[in-house]
Amino acid sequence: MPASAHDVLVIGASAFDIKTRIHTKPESGSPVPGVIRVQVGGTARNIAENLARLEMSVALFSAVGAHDFGPFLIERTAQAGVDVSQVLVSPEFRTGAYLAVLNHRGEPEWSIDDMGVIYLLSPAYIQERRAWFRDARAVIVDANLPPVTLQAVAELCRRHNIMLCADPTSTILAPRLLPHLRDIWIITPNVAEAEVLCGHPIRDDDEAMSAARELVARGVRMAVITLGSEGLVYATRRESGRVPALGGDVVDITGVGDAFTAGLVFGLLNDFPVDEAVRLGASAAALTMRSTETVAPDLSLEQLYDHLVL
Ligand SMILES: Nc1ncnc2c1ncn2[C@@H]1O[C@H](COP(=O)(O)OP(=O)(O)OP(=O)(O)O)[C@@H](O)[C@H]1O
Ligand SMILES: O=c1[nH]cc([C@@H]2O[C@H](CO)[C@@H](O)[C@H]2O)c(=O)[nH]1
């Protein structure tokens, strides 16, 4: 299979997000009025779209169903500038989906994932595309990937000495990253995911900082623990720091973590110092929380720099 040279390969889920907002809780099976939005999502796909909007050359390795919203999802992703040529389109599987009920602060009260199609991304799928890894400067995975596939990606990144960035995606999926901490260069858990990774509670900023350092001691080169409206803490082998969240109205929090990861990787690949790369991530996250969409449609380099607070 001929490979194309891209700066970044993003490997993991594509999904459609069904987000609902209700003003009164349903008491019985009867419907209550609310707002229902169907949008493009999936952690890896979101990160790839954010990176393309930041003018990075990026390819998505993912899988969708053929007979539902899958082809639409791929088309929208391609329109944003992502190379989608390697996305599998399966006639047998449903496209991944994420259903969230958001509260008045735009945060999920509860959510459901249906990501079975991801099992098509087997180690064989990765091996067939190993030539794509040769020219990549960074590979980003989400933890939707099956454990054996994460293993195959980690091995290829180690062999080619490629920056491997991992998004833990959810508390249920985060433990899949534990066997690979030594191969992961950058990990970006939120507090709940960091608690699962570290195996103990994180009660305040200081404990979050200790947890970031703990992840570095266990093998990652950089750990960023995002703290929602409190911002984030980060640690590398040489430095550590805290960055406050940027202000602004929160419309919908979905996808802020994915935007953060994209902004951070963009910064590091463009040789920004660690502290500034982290702030670029926070800037991308702030732009995203102001949009009803999972990926801010107006994200651009200009917007990113405009919102950057140094
Ligand atoms: N309510 C908020 N107000 C301001 N900034 C926020 C808020 N929530 C998140 N952010 C920004 O987004 C970053 C990532 O947020 P968070 O810790 O919620 O990630 P996450 O849980 O991975 O997100 P998601 O899973 O919804 O994509 C934070 O470090 C902060 O910069
Ligand atoms: O298990 C999963 N839940 C949610 C997501 C995605 O997270 C995104 C928000 O960060 C959202 O787009 C959803 O599809 C996923 O990829 N896997």
Side-chain angles (χ1 to χ4, degrees):
M1 181 164 315
S4 295
H6 286 289
D7 285 335
V8 190
L9 305 179
V10 191
I11 312 175
S14 296
F16 54 96
D17 293 351
I18 306 161
K19 297 187 243 171
T20 72
R21 264 171 200 266
I22 44 175
H23 305 297
T24 41
K25 271 211 167 108
E27 295 291 331
S28 64
S30 300
V32 292
V35 176
I36 303 176
R37 291 195 170 93
V38 181
Q39 296 167 344
V40 290
T43 297
R45 199 215 65 83
N46 297 340
I47 295 171
E49 180 177 338
N50 278 301
L51 283 167
R53 294 195 179 283
L54 297 176
E55 298 174 26
M56 297 295 296
S57 157
V58 54
L60 176 66
F61 289 7
S62 192
V64 296
H67 298 308
D68 49 21
F69 288 92
F72 170 75
L73 214 75
I74 299 178
E75 192 188 313
R76 280 284 305 274
T77 311
Q79 279 165 5
V82 178
D83 179 345
V84 295
S85 62
Q86 302 307 303
V87 178
L88 294 180
V89 183
S90 163
E92 280 113 41
F93 281 80
R94 290 184 303 281
T95 297
Y98 168 74
L99 169 68
V101 176
L102 304 178
N103 63 22
H104 64 281
R105 291 188 300 274
E107 302 158 348
E109 284 283 306
W110 53 266
S111 57
I112 305 174
D113 313 309
D114 177 9
M115 301 288 172
V117 65
I118 199 81
Y119 280 87
L120 291 176
L121 300 185
S122 62
Y125 168 92
I126 298 296
Q127 283 306 329
E128 282 161 18
R129 289 159 183 80
R130 61 186 178 280
W132 287 66
F133 286 71
R134 272 199 306 260
D135 295 309
R137 297 174 60 211
V139 170
I140 306 176
V141 288
D142 72 36
N144 289 291
L145 286 175
V148 283
T149 309
L150 283 167
Q151 174 78 34
V153 173
E155 277 170 19
L156 274 172
C157 289
R158 190 189 322 136
R159 192 179 314 154
H160 295 292
N161 197 34
I162 303 169
M163 175 198 286
L164 174 60
C165 175
D167 189 308
T169 310
S170 72
T171 50
I172 291 176
L173 297 172
R176 293 184 180 181
L177 300 179
L178 285 172
H180 309 296
L181 293 182
R182 297 211 158 273
D183 288 319
I184 293 172
W185 292 30
I186 303 161
I187 195 163
T188 54
N190 63 20
V191 175
E193 292 153 0
E195 288 182 328
V196 170
L197 290 169
C198 293
H200 57 74
I202 298 172
R203 285 166 295 228
D204 55 31
D205 279 21
D206 290 339
E207 290 189 0
M209 181 62 90
S210 306
R213 292 195 179 116
E214 193 181 321
L215 290 169
V216 172
R218 287 166 67 187
V220 305
R221 299 191 187 191
M222 177 177 191
V224 184
I225 301 184
T226 59
L227 311 168
S229 58
E230 303 295 308
L232 58 91
V233 296
Y234 67 89
T236 70
R237 289 171 192 173
R238 277 192 232 135
E239 59 190 295
S240 58
R242 292 163 208 259
V243 171
L246 299 172
D249 291 339
V250 181
V251 175
D252 180 346
I253 218 71
T254 319
V256 284
D258 307 338
F260 172 80
T261 301
L264 170 67
V265 170
F266 167 85
L268 294 174
L269 289 180
N270 284 289
D271 296 324
F272 281 83
V274 167
D275 181 61
E276 284 178 36
V278 169
R279 286 170 197 274
L280 282 167
S283 169
L287 286 163
T288 305
M289 76 186 185
R290 292 168 203 173
S291 162
T292 55
E293 308 233 7
T294 305
V295 177
D298 58 345
L299 181 69
S300 64
L301 280 181
E302 203 183 349
Q303 287 268 19
L304 190 75
Y305 292 133
D306 273 0
H307 285 79
L308 184 62
V309 180
L310 291 175

